[in-house]
């Protein structure tokens, strides 16, 4: 059901639409983000970026967890998109199927340090990453599907 769970602070954009969606054979993009789920303008802009071949669902984190645990969605091929390490950890805690997370892009902000191309993390992010690694969750960095996976633990 879940083809990939990706952290990307842009959520849906060209890279997701043109490379990740076809490479995964995804037929559904699930944006799990509380702000996006309640912001009509943001919903509209995310909808403009989605590929024609996939359905776009925008849900709060709580609703995304419910949806991903619903057996009626088992036939879907879902690309899950979140915009933060904290939100990814929330999904991992609520959805046992998520055993791997792709780090795609987190832009730099105050208090963050760059650890890879297009990837900046805060000390809070690093603490969450270490907790996820301790739980046995695979955490890998790749911008596009053709890149080699880089384990995040080699970068922090």
């Amino acid at each position: 059901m879940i083809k990939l769970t990706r952290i990307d602070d842009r959520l849906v954009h060209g890279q997701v639409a043109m490379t990740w969606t076809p490479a995964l054979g995804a037929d559904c993009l699930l944006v799990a983000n509380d702000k996006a789920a309640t912001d009509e303008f943001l919903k509209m802009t995310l909808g403009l970026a989605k590929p024609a071949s996939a359905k776009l669902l925008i849900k709060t984190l709580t609703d995304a967890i419910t949806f991903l645990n619903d057996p009626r969605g088992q036939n879907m091929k879902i690309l899950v998109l979140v915009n933060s390490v904290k939100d990814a950890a929330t999904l991992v805690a609520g959805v046992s199927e998520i055993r791997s997370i792709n780090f795609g892009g987190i832009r730099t902000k105050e208090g963050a340090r760059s650890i890879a191309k297009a990837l900046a993390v805060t000390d809070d992010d690093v603490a969450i990453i270490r907790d996820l690694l301790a739980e046995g969750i695979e955490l890998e960095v790749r911008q596009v599907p053709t890149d080699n996976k880089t384990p995040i633990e080699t970068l922090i």
Side-chain angles (χ1 to χ4, degrees):
M1 178 169 143
I2 299 173
K3 303 303 280 180
L4 183 75
T5 300
R6 178 177 171 89
I7 302 171
D8 191 321
D9 64 7
R10 297 177 292 170
L11 297 170
V12 182
H13 55 89
Q15 199 176 65
V16 167
M18 303 307 289
T19 62
W20 282 104
T21 302
L24 296 168
D27 57 17
C28 178
L29 304 182
L30 171 60
V31 171
N33 182 272
D34 291 343
K35 181 179 188 301
T38 58
D39 183 326
E40 292 305 316
F41 181 75
L42 186 51
K43 282 184 193 178
M44 181 190 68
T45 58
L46 293 172
L48 293 172
K50 84 161 192 71
S53 62
K55 180 178 186 170
L56 175 64
L57 301 175
I58 303 172
K59 297 186 174 289
T60 65
L61 287 168
T62 301
D63 289 345
I65 290 167
T66 300
F67 175 78
L68 291 168
N69 285 314
D70 189 330
R72 292 176 290 182
Q74 290 299 318
N75 293 330
M76 300 177 88
K77 297 173 192 144
I78 303 170
L79 168 54
V80 180
L81 300 159
V82 296
N83 73 348
S84 71
V85 176
K86 181 180 176 192
D87 286 358
T90 299
L91 287 184
V92 166
V95 182
S96 62
E97 184 181 342
I98 299 175
R99 303 303 306 155
S100 177
I101 297 170
N102 165 259
F103 283 70
I106 304 172
R107 288 173 280 201
T108 192
K109 59 185 171 272
E110 189 173 327
R113 69 183 193 289
S114 180
I115 61 168
K117 180 183 174 188
L119 191 56
V121 294
T122 64
D123 290 342
D124 289 343
D125 291 336
V126 171
I128 294 168
I129 288 166
R130 292 191 193 289
D131 289 344
L132 290 169
L133 289 168
E135 290 178 41
I137 305 298
E138 177 193 36
L139 305 176
E140 53 95 0
V141 177
R142 278 186 296 164
Q143 295 296 305
V144 294
T146 54
D147 287 348
N148 290 325
K149 288 183 180 183
T150 302
I152 200 159
E153 57 268 30
T154 65
L155 302 172
I156 55 171

